[in-house]
PDB file of all heavy atoms in Angstrom:
ATOM      1  N   SER A 359      28.525  58.517 -42.125  1.00 97.00           N
ATOM      2  CA  SER A 359      28.447  57.194 -42.743  1.00 97.00           C
ATOM      3  C   SER A 359      27.490  57.173 -43.953  1.00 97.00           C
ATOM      4  O   SER A 359      28.034  57.382 -45.045  1.00 97.00           O
ATOM      5  CB  SER A 359      28.042  56.176 -41.656  1.00 97.00           C
ATOM      6  OG  SER A 359      26.812  56.531 -41.051  1.00 97.00           O
ATOM      7  N   GLU A 360      26.220  57.054 -43.750  1.00 96.00           N
ATOM      8  CA  GLU A 360      25.240  56.927 -44.834  1.00 96.00           C
ATOM      9  C   GLU A 360      25.375  58.193 -45.798  1.00 96.00           C
ATOM     10  O   GLU A 360      25.540  58.003 -46.995  1.00 96.00           O
ATOM     11  CB  GLU A 360      23.852  56.801 -44.310  1.00 96.00           C
ATOM     12  CG  GLU A 360      23.607  55.640 -43.445  1.00 96.00           C
ATOM     13  CD  GLU A 360      23.877  54.276 -44.108  1.00 96.00           C
ATOM     14  OE1 GLU A 360      23.406  54.137 -45.235  1.00 96.00           O
ATOM     15  OE2 GLU A 360      24.442  53.421 -43.502  1.00 96.00           O
ATOM     16  N   ARG A 361      25.149  59.369 -45.212  1.00 95.00           N
ATOM     17  CA  ARG A 361      25.140  60.553 -46.089  1.00 95.00           C
ATOM     18  C   ARG A 361      26.483  60.770 -46.746  1.00 95.00           C
ATOM     19  O   ARG A 361      26.529  61.034 -47.991  1.00 95.00           O
ATOM     20  CB  ARG A 361      24.732  61.819 -45.273  1.00 95.00           C
ATOM     21  CG  ARG A 361      24.374  62.933 -46.200  1.00 95.00           C
ATOM     22  CD  ARG A 361      25.037  64.227 -45.884  1.00 95.00           C
ATOM     23  NE  ARG A 361      24.380  64.963 -44.864  1.00 95.00           N
ATOM     24  CZ  ARG A 361      23.425  65.894 -45.136  1.00 95.00           C
ATOM     25  NH1 ARG A 361      23.020  66.133 -46.322  1.00 95.00           N
ATOM     26  NH2 ARG A 361      22.896  66.595 -44.124  1.00 95.00           N
ATOM     27  N   ALA A 362      27.537  60.633 -45.994  1.00 96.00           N
ATOM     28  CA  ALA A 362      28.900  60.897 -46.554  1.00 96.00           C
ATOM     29  C   ALA A 362      29.178  59.901 -47.714  1.00 96.00           C
ATOM     30  O   ALA A 362      29.713  60.258 -48.730  1.00 96.00           O
ATOM     31  CB  ALA A 362      29.983  60.809 -45.445  1.00 96.00           C
ATOM     32  N   TYR A 363      28.784  58.690 -47.454  1.00 96.00           N
ATOM     33  CA  TYR A 363      29.042  57.666 -48.471  1.00 96.00           C
ATOM     34  C   TYR A 363      28.190  57.965 -49.751  1.00 96.00           C
ATOM     35  O   TYR A 363      28.741  57.906 -50.852  1.00 96.00           O
ATOM     36  CB  TYR A 363      28.809  56.269 -47.970  1.00 96.00           C
ATOM     37  CG  TYR A 363      28.861  55.292 -49.094  1.00 96.00           C
ATOM     38  CD1 TYR A 363      30.106  55.062 -49.676  1.00 96.00           C
ATOM     39  CD2 TYR A 363      27.727  54.674 -49.622  1.00 96.00           C
ATOM     40  CE1 TYR A 363      30.225  54.212 -50.811  1.00 96.00           C
ATOM     41  CE2 TYR A 363      27.833  53.873 -50.756  1.00 96.00           C
ATOM     42  CZ  TYR A 363      29.093  53.629 -51.346  1.00 96.00           C
ATOM     43  OH  TYR A 363      29.159  52.845 -52.437  1.00 96.00           O
ATOM     44  N   ILE A 364      26.884  58.201 -49.556  1.00 94.00           N
ATOM     45  CA  ILE A 364      26.020  58.377 -50.721  1.00 94.00           C
ATOM     46  C   ILE A 364      26.478  59.633 -51.494  1.00 94.00           C
ATOM     47  O   ILE A 364      26.537  59.626 -52.714  1.00 94.00           O
ATOM     48  CB  ILE A 364      24.568  58.423 -50.285  1.00 94.00           C
ATOM     49  CG1 ILE A 364      24.126  56.962 -49.965  1.00 94.00           C
ATOM     50  CG2 ILE A 364      23.670  58.984 -51.438  1.00 94.00           C
ATOM     51  CD1 ILE A 364      22.696  56.840 -49.435  1.00 94.00           C
ATOM     52  N   ASN A 365      26.880  60.643 -50.807  1.00 95.00           N
ATOM     53  CA  ASN A 365      27.372  61.830 -51.517  1.00 95.00           C
ATOM     54  C   ASN A 365      28.702  61.499 -52.302  1.00 95.00           C
ATOM     55  O   ASN A 365      28.894  62.017 -53.340  1.00 95.00           O
ATOM     56  CB  ASN A 365      27.686  62.966 -50.486  1.00 95.00           C
ATOM     57  CG  ASN A 365      26.381  63.604 -49.994  1.00 95.00           C
ATOM     58  OD1 ASN A 365      25.314  63.397 -50.562  1.00 95.00           O
ATOM     59  ND2 ASN A 365      26.529  64.415 -48.880  1.00 95.00           N
ATOM     60  N   THR A 366      29.515  60.741 -51.640  1.00 95.00           N
ATOM     61  CA  THR A 366      30.777  60.375 -52.284  1.00 95.00           C
ATOM     62  C   THR A 366      30.531  59.569 -53.551  1.00 95.00           C
ATOM     63  O   THR A 366      31.222  59.756 -54.542  1.00 95.00           O
ATOM     64  CB  THR A 366      31.631  59.565 -51.300  1.00 95.00           C
ATOM     65  OG1 THR A 366      31.753  60.290 -50.081  1.00 95.00           O
ATOM     66  CG2 THR A 366      33.042  59.327 -51.837  1.00 95.00           C
ATOM     67  N   ARG A 367      29.633  58.623 -53.428  1.00 93.00           N
ATOM     68  CA  ARG A 367      29.390  57.728 -54.587  1.00 93.00           C
ATOM     69  C   ARG A 367      28.713  58.472 -55.736  1.00 93.00           C
ATOM     70  O   ARG A 367      29.051  58.215 -56.870  1.00 93.00           O
ATOM     71  CB  ARG A 367      28.446  56.554 -54.133  1.00 93.00           C
ATOM     72  CG  ARG A 367      28.206  55.586 -55.190  1.00 93.00           C
ATOM     73  CD  ARG A 367      27.258  54.467 -54.734  1.00 93.00           C
ATOM     74  NE  ARG A 367      25.930  55.043 -54.402  1.00 93.00           N
ATOM     75  CZ  ARG A 367      24.942  54.383 -53.816  1.00 93.00           C
ATOM     76  NH1 ARG A 367      25.176  53.141 -53.517  1.00 93.00           N
ATOM     77  NH2 ARG A 367      23.809  54.929 -53.535  1.00 93.00           N
ATOM     78  N   GLY A 368      27.774  59.355 -55.354  1.00 87.00           N
ATOM     79  CA  GLY A 368      27.013  59.999 -56.439  1.00 87.00           C
ATOM     80  C   GLY A 368      26.036  59.050 -57.044  1.00 87.00           C
ATOM     81  O   GLY A 368      25.843  57.981 -56.523  1.00 87.00           O
ATOM     82  N   SER A 369      25.335  59.444 -58.082  1.00 81.00           N
ATOM     83  CA  SER A 369      24.375  58.550 -58.701  1.00 81.00           C
ATOM     84  C   SER A 369      25.010  57.879 -59.899  1.00 81.00           C
ATOM     85  O   SER A 369      25.963  58.312 -60.446  1.00 81.00           O
ATOM     86  CB  SER A 369      23.098  59.342 -59.089  1.00 81.00           C
ATOM     87  OG  SER A 369      23.455  60.255 -60.050  1.00 81.00           O
TER      88      SER A 369
END
Side-chain angles (χ1 to χ4, degrees):
S359 55
E360 301 298 315
R361 194 229 276 271
Y363 173 68
I364 287 176
N365 286 348
T366 307
R367 183 184 61 189
S369 63

